[in-house]
Amino acid sequence: MLFISEATSAALVNHEMAFEAAREALIAACGDRSTSFPVVLGHGSSSTNRFTVKAAATAELAGLKVGSYWPGNADRGLERHNSLILLFDQETGRIGVAIEAGVVNAYRTAAADAVAADRLARPDAGILAIFGAGNQARFECLALARVRTLRQVLVVTRDPARGEAMAAELRRQGLKADISDARDACAAADIIVTATPARAPLFEADWVRPGTHVASMGSDARGKQELPPDLLARAGLFCDLAEQSRAIGEFQHAPPDVTVTAIGAVLLGRHPGRRSRDEITVFDSSGLSLQDLYIARSLLAKHRDAGGA
């Protein structure tokens, strides 16, 4: 079994790799040669420590990702999120590759939102409102900055100190960033991204301007919720995988009669995506194992090109 450590995978990954892998995975999710299996949601000995197991198979790849969230790690100076990707050797059924992927997972998650925004956000979208000031929120901003020229990033968080720290970090990365309250951020934004563990809407539907693109990436379990249901009733709804989004993603809160379209259908030209300049579009990223398989393949290729076993 080939093992790629966290340090090695973090050194190999970048936003371009993640974007291309996410695009391939989201297209594959619409094909008949891939299968995404039901998500396992579990917890550690303490129910506050949670993990998920997501698995998938394509004609060439099969494997799974175990993602964990241990909130107490912050007090230990450790990351709260960790990930491990396992690829099967399909000849023997043994694990052929194991990749520690904590940093990789942040790139991979942000990349899916960037792929969707590249097709759904208005071409001139330049003001981003980001809800959340954690590790993932930073990656979301940098990934989106690759597909749209961001004139300003508005950071919305309940913790002003964390918000200021994130804004300062984004400024060091070359982005104009400031903290804001939720209503003002929504009123100004062309793109709204929510990267939180919320279980209730973070803003009101009527705060969102016509033509805004909204992305939720924090809802990945029953009961989680970041967006107001009234917004879902009048927006164009897109996701990574419809059945998963309806079951554990943001669209568990969408009206049952509204159409939910996989972003892969837009990438394949089967759906036009945004239909007008004033349409509000919403993308729900509940997170696919296919994304993990494809970025693992890219990491493995780069590792071998660099002389790895």
Side-chain angles (χ1 to χ4, degrees):
M1 180 185 73
L2 173 65
F3 173 72
I4 298 178
S5 70
E6 178 67 34
T8 300
S9 68
L12 292 171
V13 72
N14 56 45
H15 284 292
E16 182 179 5
M17 174 196 288
F19 185 93
E20 292 304 321
R23 186 178 185 279
E24 287 185 273
L26 292 166
I27 289 173
C30 284
D32 56 8
R33 302 190 70 192
S34 67
T35 304
S36 293
F37 302 104
V39 177
V40 175
L41 301 174
H43 61 72
S45 298
S46 169
S47 61
T48 60
N49 297 327
R50 301 188 299 276
F51 66 85
T52 62
V53 180
K54 294 181 177 180
T58 72
E60 299 174 336
L61 299 165
L64 56 95
K65 193 269 295 290
V66 181
S68 63
Y69 176 70
W70 254 241
N73 278 0
D75 298 330
R76 302 180 179 93
L78 301 173
E79 294 293 338
R80 290 177 290 182
H81 291 272
N82 283 285
S83 294
L84 177 69
I85 303 173
L86 304 175
L87 295 182
F88 284 103
D89 177 332
Q90 297 196 71
E91 293 297 321
T92 66
R94 302 183 67 170
I95 297 299
V97 183
I99 304 175
E100 289 184 323
V103 171
V104 167
N105 191 68
Y107 275 96
R108 155 265 201 216
T109 301
D113 284 340
V115 170
D118 193 37
R119 297 303 299 266
L120 298 176
R122 298 193 325 269
D124 62 346
I127 299 178
L128 167 65
I130 178 77
F131 282 74
N135 183 60
Q136 187 61 46
R138 291 159 164 78
F139 281 87
E140 297 287 325
C141 296
L142 296 174
L144 287 167
R146 294 185 67 253
V147 300
R148 290 295 183 272
T149 301
L150 297 181
R151 301 187 301 277
Q152 187 176 29
V153 177
L154 300 172
V155 180
V156 183
T157 177
R158 293 176 298 178
D159 186 334
R162 292 186 74 191
E164 290 285 6
M166 176 170 157
E169 183 176 329
L170 293 175
R171 288 194 289 270
R172 289 193 292 272
Q173 297 281 350
L175 296 174
K176 183 179 184 295
D178 301 283
I179 61 170
S180 173
D181 65 36
R183 185 164 193 160
D184 288 345
C186 290
D190 305 307
I191 301 172
I192 298 171
V193 175
T194 56
T196 77
R199 289 182 172 268
L202 297 168
F203 52 86
E204 300 292 334
D206 60 6
W207 297 354
V208 179
R209 297 190 305 169
T212 301
H213 173 63
V214 182
S216 165
M217 57 72 51
S219 295
D220 58 359
R222 293 293 300 175
K224 285 192 173 183
Q225 183 179 16
E226 297 182 299
L227 308 183
D230 288 352
L231 182 68
L232 306 183
R234 59 186 176 89
L237 304 187
F238 302 85
C239 65
D240 42 18
L241 188 68
E243 54 266 38
Q244 182 172 295
S245 178
R246 284 285 194 181
I248 64 171
E250 189 65 37
F251 295 159
Q252 63 187 279
H253 307 290
D257 58 336
V258 301
T259 300
V260 175
T261 302
I263 192 65
V266 179
L267 298 171
L268 288 167
R270 299 174 185 169
H271 189 285
R274 171 175 291 277
R275 296 181 184 274
S276 71
R277 181 173 177 80
D278 288 339
E279 182 183 22
I280 295 172
T281 56
V282 176
F283 175 66
D284 176 39
S285 178
S286 57
L288 300 182
S289 181
L290 288 169
Q291 295 167 238
D292 304 304
L293 302 191
Y294 277 90
I295 201 164
R297 184 177 70 174
S298 297
L299 289 165
L300 183 59
K302 190 171 180 179
H303 177 66
R304 287 173 171 164
D305 287 346

